[in-house]
């Protein structure tokens, strides 16, 4: 695919996004991740009040991105795994291709998907990132392209999920650094401070990204993979009996100095108040003892209990006994 053909494809993508955007959008971000046998696509719109709203992406774009990914493949170097397409009013777009980081999918992929992708878009060892070498049992990977399917090893997939509290302080620091790095890489132009405000329960989350520039502050969108990293961080930081945080605030300075604040006790203050049963689900996932239950949480858990009992016709939802 020539540069001219790539540009035409990107303009078609932009036109399709404009047709799918809500009326009052100020910025759109589309994230597409692909392998030879699977793909995912997410579209989010930023509104004037700083809220991010998920949108249904035009499904016609799947074929467009497949063709773009195949057309941009290079001998012995493969092709990209993820593309970030940002569109600002009136029609200014920026595209970033990620050739090296492991793609994020809604469901984890096993090694066969990556082996199949290597068959379609071969890479020599010098162009294989460490995570890919680990998937392929690094010591067995030869210096040149080979029949990758022969290297498939069941059970070698990287662990995506994490149990509550199962994160060391070093892993926490690494995760915070990755959140900062990925967010910085997605911000346009010159800036001197980025602030990420993230509020979360198991079944609900809201985020705001504020970018400070010389001429003022503006909103930006949180990357989907950063949202997943924040969820992983929240789960990993659970403390038995004490729960985990409800709100996190990360500040990144131009010098790359990172400041973090986690709020374990105050109401997170969602833009739209979650259903009380969402707080119950969160309490089941991250149990707290009574002395670590703030009053506002007890009130919502009480409301959730009454709602669930009503749904179960008086049966106690928290035990096997009727009530």
């Amino acid at each position: 695919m020539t540069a001219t053909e790539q540009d035409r494809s990107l303009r078609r993508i932009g036109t399709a996004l404009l047709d799918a955007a809500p009326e009052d959008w100020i910025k759109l971000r589309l994230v597409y991740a692909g392998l030879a046998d699977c793909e995912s696509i997410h579209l989010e719109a930023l509104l004037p009040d700083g809220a991010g709203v998920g949108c249904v992406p035009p499904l016609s774009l799947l074929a467009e991105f497949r063709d773009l990914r195949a057309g941009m493949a290079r001998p012995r170097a493969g092709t990209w795994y993820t593309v970030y397409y940002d569109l600002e009013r009136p029609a200014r777009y920026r595209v970033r291709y990620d050739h090296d980081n492991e793609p994020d999918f809604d469901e984890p992929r096993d090694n066969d998907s990556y082996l199949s992708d290597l068959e379609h878009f071969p890479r020599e060892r010098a162009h294989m990132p460490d995570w890919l070498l680990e998937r392929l049992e690094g010591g067995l990977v030869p210096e040149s392209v080979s029949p990758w399917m022969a290297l498939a090893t069941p059970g070698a997939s990287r662990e995506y999920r994490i149990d509550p509290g199962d994160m060391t302080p070093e892993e926490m620091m690494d995760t915070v650094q990755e959140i900062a790095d990925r967010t910085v890489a997605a911000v346009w132009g010159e800036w001197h401070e980025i602030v990420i405000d993230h509020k979360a329960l198991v079944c609900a989350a809201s985020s705001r990204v504020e970018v400070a520039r010389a001429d003022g502050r503006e909103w930006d969108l949180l990357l989907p993979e950063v949202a997943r990293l924040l969820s992983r961080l929240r789960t990993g930081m659970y403390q038995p009996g004490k729960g985990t945080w409800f709100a996190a605030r990360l500040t990144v300075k131009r010098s790359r100095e990172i400041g973090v604040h986690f709020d374990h006790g105050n109401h997170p203050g969602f833009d739209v108040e979650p259903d009380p049963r969402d707080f119950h689900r969160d309490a089941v996932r991250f149990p707290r003892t009574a002395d670590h239950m703030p009053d506002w949480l007890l009130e919502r858990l009480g409301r959730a209990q009454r709602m669930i009992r009503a749904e179960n016709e008086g049966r106690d939802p928290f035990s096997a006994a009727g009530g």
Side-chain angles (χ1 to χ4, degrees):
M1 180 179 285
T2 66
T4 299
E5 290 171 330
Q6 290 178 34
D7 183 65
R8 289 173 182 165
S9 178
L10 294 172
R11 291 180 183 278
R12 287 194 296 269
I13 291 169
T15 299
L17 291 181
L18 289 174
D19 292 339
E23 184 175 345
D24 55 348
W25 70 278
I26 60 175
K27 183 174 183 178
L28 303 175
R29 172 169 291 148
L30 183 144
V31 182
Y32 171 90
L35 296 173
D37 65 353
C38 65
E39 58 192 346
S40 69
I41 187 168
H42 296 272
L43 176 62
E44 189 175 10
L46 184 69
L47 303 181
D49 63 358
V53 178
C55 304
V56 178
L59 296 184
S60 61
L61 294 184
L62 292 172
E64 196 78 60
F65 279 114
R66 278 185 227 122
D67 292 343
L68 191 63
R69 185 169 187 259
M72 294 179 65
R74 295 293 177 263
R76 298 180 295 279
T79 188
W80 48 267
Y81 294 109
T82 308
V83 62
Y84 303 91
Y85 191 111
D86 287 357
L87 184 65
E88 288 189 347
R89 282 189 181 272
R92 177 192 175 204
Y93 73 87
R94 185 184 73 158
V95 182
R96 180 166 61 90
Y97 302 101
D98 190 336
H99 294 72
D100 298 318
N101 290 302
E102 187 167 1
D104 287 305
F105 294 101
D106 296 329
E107 294 293 333
R109 306 302 304 177
D110 59 25
N111 288 348
D112 287 352
S113 289
Y114 293 89
L115 294 165
S116 176
D117 198 67
L118 275 171
E119 284 196 322
H120 284 80
F121 308 111
R123 291 180 176 222
E124 289 190 342
R125 190 185 186 97
H127 296 286
M128 292 184 192
D130 291 342
W131 62 265
L132 184 57
L133 290 172
E134 290 173 7
R135 279 185 173 274
L136 302 175
E137 295 285 319
L140 301 178
V141 179
E143 294 296 332
S144 59
V145 177
S146 68
W148 295 106
M149 293 306 293
L151 298 176
T153 52
S157 298
R158 193 182 78 174
E159 182 61 53
Y160 282 80
R161 294 179 177 84
I162 187 171
D163 292 326
D166 192 20
M167 185 177 278
T168 67
E170 292 77 14
E171 290 172 325
M172 294 177 197
M173 291 174 61
D174 289 344
T175 302
V176 168
Q177 184 67 58
E178 186 174 359
I179 289 169
D181 290 345
R182 287 179 178 256
T183 303
V184 166
V187 172
W188 294 15
E190 293 294 324
W191 56 272
H192 60 82
E193 183 182 69
I194 299 172
V195 179
I196 303 170
D197 277 314
H198 182 72
K199 302 163 185 178
L201 300 173
V202 166
C203 304
S206 66
S207 302
R208 292 176 184 268
V209 179
E210 190 177 27
V211 182
R213 306 183 190 275
D215 56 352
R217 293 176 175 264
E218 63 182 31
W219 298 113
D220 205 339
L221 292 166
L222 189 73
L223 291 170
E225 63 268 31
V226 171
R228 283 188 279 270
L229 285 169
L230 284 163
S231 176
R232 181 178 176 84
L233 184 66
R234 183 172 189 259
T235 301
M237 290 180 66
Y238 169 73
Q239 299 178 64
K242 297 181 179 180
T244 189
W245 48 268
F246 294 107
R249 182 181 177 91
L250 279 70
T251 303
V252 186
K253 303 290 187 181
R254 187 63 188 173
S255 63
R256 295 302 194 271
E257 175 187 352
I258 301 173
V260 294
H261 173 73
F262 301 105
D263 192 328
H264 294 70
N266 292 308
H267 185 281
F270 291 94
D271 293 333
V272 177
E273 178 68 11
D275 187 298
R277 288 164 293 190
D278 288 339
F279 291 95
H280 165 247
R281 296 184 186 100
D282 200 73
V284 171
R285 176 67 168 164
F286 305 113
R288 292 174 174 232
T289 57
D291 55 330
H292 288 96
M293 288 270 194
D295 291 342
W296 67 263
L297 182 57
L298 287 171
E299 187 272 334
R300 281 160 179 80
L301 293 178
R303 287 165 55 192
Q305 188 174 27
R306 292 191 292 272
M307 294 170 71
I308 297 173
R309 278 179 172 166
E311 290 175 350
N312 288 276
E313 298 178 342
R315 294 189 301 273
D316 189 342
F318 303 105
S319 72

